[in-house]
Every structure is written in C-alpha cells, then in structure tokens.
Amino acid sequence: MPDSSTTSAAAKTARARKPRLDKALADALDLAREAAEEAGDGIGEHLSVEAESERVVTHYFECTLPGYRGWRWAVVLTRAPRARAATVSETALLPGPDALRAPAWVPWADRLEGGEVGTGEVLPTEDDDDRLMPAYQLSDDDAVEDIAYELGLGRERVMNREGRAETAQRWYDGDRGPTAPIAEAAPAPARCGTCGFFMPLAGSMRLAFGACANLYSSEDARVVSADHGCGAHSQISEFVDTTPQGVEKSEIVYDDEGSEIL
C-alpha cells in the first residue's frame, strides 16, 4: 500500500502535467482562421496552437495591424466528448511576450510633483491626506493650541506633526534654505534670522522659518529659513564695506559720442 507522501506527490505531478493537445482541434486551422477574420482585421500567419485543457485549444495568429507589434489574434476551439466537429468558443486580440504596450497607468496623485499646481488650476485634497488631521482634535502644536483656546477659533482640518515635519524639511532643503546659492554667496553673518525684514511664522515653525518682507530682496514675500541669507540684510553695512571706496565701480558700457545736443 503506497504511503500518503507518495500519493500526494503523484497528485501534484498530475495537476502540473500539461494537458494533451487535441489533434482534431489542432487540425481545425481553417475554422480558427475564419473566426479570427470575422472578429477583426490584420490576420497574419498562423503562429502556434496550444492546449488549454481537455478538448480545448487556442490557435494564435500574427496581428499585422499598424501599432500592434507583437500582438496576436487568439481563437479558442473546443468540442464535445466523442464529437469530431470543432466549435469556436471565443476570439480575442492579446499581447504576446514581446508586444508593444502602453506603460502601466499611474494615478494622478502619484504623478504630481511639488509646485505643479499653477494659476487657475485646482487640486483637491484627499480626505485621508497624511499631512492633515481634524481640527476638533488637538492640533499637536502647543503654540497653536494656546491661541485657539484663547480666541475660540478653529478650522475643519489642520496640519499634524508629520505634515509640519515634512514641510519643514522640504523648505529647509530647497531654494530658501541655508545651502541655496544666494545664501552661500551672501556674507556669513548675513542670516535671515537676524535681519529686520524677517517676519517669523506662527507656532512651532517660528523657530526655524519666517517670511522675507524686504521689497528689494529677491526673497521678498517668500518663506525662508532663519539661517538663509542674501545681500539685502538690514545690517549688511556691518558685514561688508558698502562705502563708495569699498564698492567696485562698473565699467561704462554706453557711448554718447553720436548724441546730438538740442
């Protein structure tokens, strides 16, 4: 009497064994081609026939339609037990192993990058946005809580700790952080945190960020880090020589010899 392990192995082998190709269905090539031609255009040469299960086979024909390189017309044939006549089960245009196909679709939310929402465009915020939380819960910011309870103000949703940390890191690593070219070119002491035009943000963000309010700075009306810098610092004269002797005079680049005095 065979043991259970031998029986189990035999059963697995039987299930894994490829079904035998039905000769009657494999020979019904003309029927398969007729079915493919009724289904669509661009029927090329016969490529192969494969057994799907008992008395079921699939005939594959080359697709010659423009833009469908590597695609195949598939025609499934079957027959009843002890019957010799083949019947068409279904036809379809399927991609082959080397088919030219469109790239996998990526949801718009995964394709969107920072700063892509322009003038006149609308970007809805998902209800489960990881950066936000309901405002009827604690805001996770002590400074905001103090003001909210005092004034009785509230919003439907506010940024949570994770959202603020992500924002702070993005700002700090960007063009308004300490490693931006304009900051590295500015005098070392000319940092935004000591500038008179630096307006700190509210809440926990005020420790590291503020808005520039200097009309003549390229950073005006932008959020900058406290250790960012530029040449329009309110005390810039203390860091560099801004007297006429200390400022290099530019070369005259215009020619008035051809001017006519009226």
Side-chain angles (χ1 to χ4, degrees), residues 171-193:
W171 288 353
Y172 198 77
D173 295 338
D175 294 337
R176 310 293 176 261
T179 59
I182 188 174
E184 294 184 337
R191 301 298 97 183
C192 295

Side-chain angles (χ1 to χ4, degrees), residues 21-251:
L21 183 66
D22 188 293
K23 187 176 185 306
L25 297 178
D27 292 341
L29 181 59
D30 292 339
L31 175 62
R33 180 175 289 278
E34 291 176 6
E37 291 175 347
E38 290 180 4
D41 301 326
I43 312 301
E45 65 180 33
H46 184 259
L47 298 176
S48 64
V49 57
E50 298 179 6
E52 302 295 345
S53 61
E54 186 178 4
R55 295 186 301 279
V56 178
V57 303
T58 300
H59 287 269
Y60 291 100
F61 297 89
E62 177 189 11
C63 177
T64 60
L65 292 173
Y68 284 84
R69 186 185 71 197
W71 286 64
R72 305 177 297 179
W73 282 103
V75 180
V76 180
L77 301 182
T78 186
R79 67 182 180 87
R82 293 187 295 278
R84 301 298 298 173
T87 59
V88 178
S89 179
E90 60 178 330
T91 59
L93 181 59
L94 303 175
D98 302 321
L100 180 64
R101 287 183 280 184
W105 182 78
V106 179
W108 68 267
D110 296 335
R111 298 195 305 267
L112 195 65
E113 297 183 358
E116 286 193 347
V117 181
T119 303
E121 298 177 335
V122 177
L123 174 63
T125 302
E126 298 293 337
D127 292 337
D128 58 351
D129 194 308
D130 293 336
R131 301 168 299 173
L132 299 173
M133 62 186 295
Y136 55 76
Q137 298 180 5
L138 295 178
S139 70
D140 207 16
D141 188 335
D142 294 338
V144 173
E145 288 301 323
D146 293 341
I147 297 176
Y149 284 130
E150 180 179 351
L151 301 181
L153 302 177
R155 288 172 286 168
E156 184 174 344
R157 290 196 291 177
V158 295
M159 291 189 72
N160 55 21
R161 187 185 301 274
E162 180 180 350
R164 293 198 307 276
E166 176 188 332
T167 300
Q169 192 65 53
R170 184 176 68 252
W171 288 353
Y172 198 77
D173 295 338
D175 294 337
R176 310 293 176 261
T179 59
I182 188 174
E184 294 184 337
R191 301 298 97 183
C192 295
T194 60
C195 180
F197 297 107
F198 182 74
M199 302 178 66
L201 298 185
S204 58
M205 285 291 210
R206 71 178 291 113
L207 300 176
F209 298 98
C212 175
N214 190 341
L215 170 65
Y216 302 105
S217 172
S218 60
E219 311 292 35
D220 182 40
R222 291 172 172 168
V223 173
V224 294
S225 68
D227 51 359
H228 185 64
C230 75
H233 192 283
S234 58
Q235 276 74 252
I236 193 67
S237 59
E238 298 179 9
F239 311 137
V240 296
D241 186 0
T242 58
T243 62
Q245 294 77 16
V247 177
E248 183 179 353
K249 184 178 180 181
S250 301
E251 180 184 357

Side-chain angles (χ1 to χ4, degrees), residues 2-17:
D3 58 26
S4 58
S5 60
T6 304
T7 305
S8 177
K12 291 181 180 179
T13 303
R15 287 195 298 267
R17 187 180 299 119

